[in-house]
Structure formats: structure tokens, C-alpha cells
Amino acid sequence: ANTCAEALGGLAATPVTSRPSSNRAFSSGDKAPGLDPAQFTAMLRAQGTSFFAGVPDSLLKDPCAYITDNIPEKNHIIAANEGTALALAAGHHLATNNIACVYLQNSGLGNLVNPLLSLCSKRVYSIPALLLIGWRGEPGVKDEPQHNLQGELTPPLLEKMNVPYEILPETEEEASKVLEKAYDYMRREKAPFAILVKKNTFQKYKLMKKFASFDSEGMLSREDILDHIIKVFPESPLVTTTGFTSREIFELRKKRGLPHEQDFLTVGSMGHCSSLAQGIALSKPNCSSVLCVDGDGAAIMHMGSMVTGGQSGLKNLKHILINNSVHDSVGGQPTNGGNINFAQVALACGYSQATSVSKADEIPAALQKLKDSEGPYFLEIRSLPGARSDLGRPTSSPGQNKDAFMAMLAKL
């Protein structure tokens, strides 16, 4: 067997027998429940994995935070989507013959399928990669509706794709055995292997590294921006992106005593709300404004939809992007949204108008101009990161939301 140093190919790593500890304090003699993210990362590195790519997930936010803090940036890529992450891992393997780790939520398996089956499969290029998958919607564990079916189908979906998997144990000794099995398989078969991660498998780890996010004086929170939007567009259909945005718009309507029928809450399908809005705008030409309220991480995940939106010529399509430059609802990891000129991208894609604002006093006029102008119109509003700690979730089911929204659209 290779030594740790040989397996790492010269990359300095902490030996398995002397691991760093996560930044969580416990009383003397206590052992924290679950896996230490630092020790888990050290076990991967000892197997020769020095490259990490993926899309942040709430169940994996602790190891993802540790990786972000402790792995060099050139060896850790927060990818636009899960398929991109796997392609990055495949490229790393082709160049180094080392096995990379790809992390994702199981809802991202859909984005992963194409490169998994047509690139990494044993029947095509036979490229190994360790897939670390957060298992939302695990059967028997209470979760949100958009995760339940995905959680039920995750193991059989992997089986149908001929991807072997194991559930990650919460103890270091048992986790080490599972990883040994996974790496033995990947080296022997030259194919991907999946590790499913249940809720609370890992100890807590707080992200320490500071990233360039928006914190300028005069900027608003996303929730305050949403409040402005519903004031300017009191009767327009609204399609909101996944994560905190849909939760905040639901609570704002509730706070104001307003019905929820105007809002389609895209609780899943990350990156697709602009296409949803485009489909509605196309089918409701007499509706003066159909709004999409997008997020930077979601827009980046499927940025190609901006081409179809821009080229649509739809005068009633109004695309708002609230950009806080982080994956807010899954741990605050950076999206690089602050480094992208989204307005210029939108214009290049064919939007008739595109602009960007940041300050609170700019927002009302920008929204009014959006309302009064013909589309396809793109408006970026830069915002502060974060959300209220007491933010609730929609109390209506997705089915109820859909029925009310469709009934409202039928009247237009």
C-alpha cells in the first residue's frame, strides 16, 4: 500500500494519525457526536484526493466550510452546477491520475447524470470520482416536499446508473472502512463511487474565511428588496427562486395580509425559475409584466437560460436578479456573483434593457422603470447577504401553491 505522502503525490497533508480538529469547543474529555470535518478531509487526502469541486449543500456545509478554509483555492472549485463539478474532477484525473471529490446535494443528481453516464462511466471513458452526496429527503426523516421523492429515489437511481454507494457512518473508524472500500473500488474499476451523507453526520464547523460580499452602506437585505418589489408590482405574477427568496416572499405576503396566489414559489428546480417565468410570459401575452425573481447562485447554475430569455423578444418578461454573491441558504459559500457584470451579460444575450443598482434610494425608481418599460428587461439588485434567524417556511403545500397560482393566471 502507498504511504500517505506517496498517495498525496507530494501535496502536504496532515497524517491520519495526527489530524487537525474543527473549530468547535467541548468540555475536557468530551467527544463530539458525528464526524469531525477536519478528520474526514484528512482521510480523503490520505487516499490521494487533493482536488475538490462541487455545489454547496446544507447537509454538507460543515465539511464544505472546512474544505473552503483549508484547501488551496486552486484545488477547490465551487462550481456553477454539479455536472460542471464532475467534469472538473474528470479533467483533474486525466491530468494527474488522482481521484477527485465531488460534493453535492442529491437534488443535483439531475445535473450530474449526463457527465456521469456519458463521460465517467466504465462503458465510456472510465474515470473515477468520489461523489459525496447530501441525502435530503431520506426516507423516515422529516423534510420539505421538494426533497422527499428525490430522497426516496436516490439509492435506486444510483443503482440504475451502476454507481455503487455506501452510507457514511458517523464514527471515524467505520467511516475509514467505508472510504477504504470506495477507493479500492475506484482504483480497481476506474469508475465513480458515491457516499451518501445523512443529516447530522458531521460535527459543526463554522466557515472562517472571509469573502468579498456586499456590505456597502445604503444596501438592503434581500427581504427588504422583495418588499419593494411587491409594492411596485402589486398585481403581477411573480416566480421566485429556490431557497430563502421564496420563503421570504411568502412571509412578506402573510405580514401584509395579502393572498399568496400571485407567487409561484420555486422551492426546488434551482436555476430554472427564469425559464418558468418565460413560459408563463409567452402564454400570457396580455399580462403586462411577468416577473422572475432570481438569485445569483441559481442564475449562474443555468446561465444559458439568459440566452433564451434575451432572444425571446417577450415584452412582458421582467427578470430581476437579487445578487448577494453567496450561496446564502446552504452555508454562505461564495458564488463569484460579485465579480460578474450581469447587466452586460444580459445585454449580450439579447435583453432589450439591462441595468444594475445597489443603493436603497436607487431601488424604487429602478423597479418603476422596469414596470413601465418593455422587455425582455433585466434588473440586477445587489443586496446584503444573510437572512432572519426566525425565517419560516411556506405553510401551503406545493400543490396548493400551484393550484392558486394557476387559478390566478386563468383570470388574466
Side-chain angles (χ1 to χ4, degrees):
N2 290 336
T3 65
C4 178
E6 290 171 337
L8 291 169
L11 178 69
T14 306
V16 179
T17 54
S18 179
R19 300 176 184 86
S21 61
S22 295
N23 55 4
R24 184 179 181 184
F26 290 89
S27 301
S28 177
D30 287 351
K31 179 174 175 55
L35 282 173
D36 184 333
Q39 294 175 350
F40 178 75
T41 304
M43 286 190 277
L44 298 185
R45 295 177 71 185
Q47 291 284 354
T49 291
S50 60
F51 185 82
F52 300 80
V55 177
D57 166 49
S58 56
L59 299 192
L60 301 176
K61 67 179 180 181
D62 302 302
C64 286
Y66 181 84
I67 289 166
T68 300
D69 276 346
N70 293 278
I71 299 298
E73 289 186 10
K74 68 184 181 70
N75 290 326
H76 176 216
I77 306 297
I78 298 176
N81 62 57
E82 295 81 2
T84 300
L86 183 55
L88 285 163
H92 171 79
H93 177 77
L94 292 174
T96 65
N97 199 33
N98 290 332
I99 297 171
C101 175
V102 176
Y103 58 82
L104 64 145
Q105 186 180 107
N106 55 344
S107 61
L109 276 172
N111 289 330
L112 200 74
V113 168
N114 189 308
L116 188 60
L117 298 183
S118 65
L119 175 65
C120 296
S121 168
K122 288 173 62 177
R123 297 170 64 176
V124 189
Y125 286 106
S126 196
I127 297 175
L130 182 68
L131 310 177
L132 190 66
I133 303 173
W135 195 4
R136 293 296 302 268
E138 175 195 348
V141 177
K142 182 177 173 57
D143 210 327
E144 299 304 309
Q146 67 270 23
H147 294 298
N148 291 333
L149 180 59
Q150 184 77 57
E152 178 184 332
L153 294 179
T154 293
L157 183 59
L158 291 170
E159 291 168 5
K160 287 292 185 182
M161 293 190 293
N162 296 321
V163 177
Y165 70 90
E166 289 284 343
I167 297 170
L168 186 65
E170 297 181 16
T171 66
E172 179 185 340
E173 181 179 357
E174 294 303 313
S176 180
K177 293 177 183 177
V178 164
L179 289 176
E180 196 67 42
K181 177 179 178 180
Y183 279 92
D184 283 348
Y185 174 86
M186 290 185 288
R187 293 184 183 113
R188 182 179 69 253
E189 302 294 335
K190 300 188 185 304
F193 192 102
I195 302 289
L196 297 183
V197 180
K198 295 183 176 185
K199 186 178 181 180
N200 297 325
T201 294
F202 286 98
Q203 296 174 19
K204 301 298 182 185
Y205 179 91
K206 184 178 179 180
L207 183 66
M208 304 299 290
K209 189 176 289 186
K210 301 299 181 184
F211 296 95
S213 59
F214 303 128
D215 58 0
S216 300
E217 185 177 352
M219 295 183 75
L220 295 180
S221 69
R222 180 184 47 251
E223 189 167 6
D224 287 337
I225 293 168
L226 291 170
D227 201 22
H228 279 289
I229 292 171
I230 62 177
K231 288 177 183 176
V232 177
F233 293 89
E235 299 177 354
S236 300
L238 197 65
V239 181
T240 56
T241 188
T242 188
F244 288 150
T245 303
S246 287
R247 293 166 60 182
E248 287 169 342
I249 202 74
F250 187 90
E251 292 216 338
L252 282 168
R253 297 282 193 199
K254 183 178 179 181
K255 178 182 177 181
R256 288 175 166 270
L258 299 172
H260 301 282
E261 61 184 14
Q262 288 171 235
D263 309 322
F264 187 86
L265 310 175
T266 316
V267 293
S269 301
M270 183 174 173
H272 293 297
C273 77
S274 65
S275 296
L276 270 166
Q278 183 183 340
I280 295 166
L282 184 65
S283 303
K284 289 291 181 180
N286 293 328
C287 181
S288 60
S289 293
V290 175
L291 273 74
C292 161
V293 182
D294 217 341
D296 46 300
I300 291 168
M301 178 169 281
H302 291 294
M303 196 175 280
S305 63
M306 291 181 68
V307 176
T308 54
Q311 295 296 318
S312 69
L314 291 168
K315 295 180 179 181
N316 59 348
L317 180 61
K318 312 295 175 70
H319 190 168
I320 300 173
L321 173 67
I322 301 179
N323 178 9
N324 62 10
S325 195
V326 296
H327 286 286
D328 219 357
S329 61
V330 291
Q333 298 87 351
T335 64
N336 287 318
N339 300 321
I340 300 171
N341 190 328
F342 281 104
Q344 287 298 316
V345 171
L347 289 172
C349 289
Y351 283 78
S352 60
Q353 298 184 68
T355 190
S356 177
V357 296
S358 299
K359 303 294 185 182
D361 57 5
E362 301 173 318
I363 294 172
L367 288 171
Q368 190 61 49
K369 183 179 179 182
L370 176 71
K371 183 178 182 178
D372 296 340
S373 302
E374 291 185 346
Y377 194 129
F378 182 91
L379 172 63
E380 177 196 22
I381 305 176
R382 296 190 164 196
S383 78
L384 299 171
R388 288 186 287 111
S389 60
D390 62 347
L391 181 63
R393 295 182 181 273
T395 54
S396 59
S397 70
Q400 291 170 330
N401 176 215
K402 183 203 75 170
D403 290 345
F405 187 72
M406 290 183 69
M408 179 275 298
L409 289 177
K411 300 173 185 176
L412 299 180

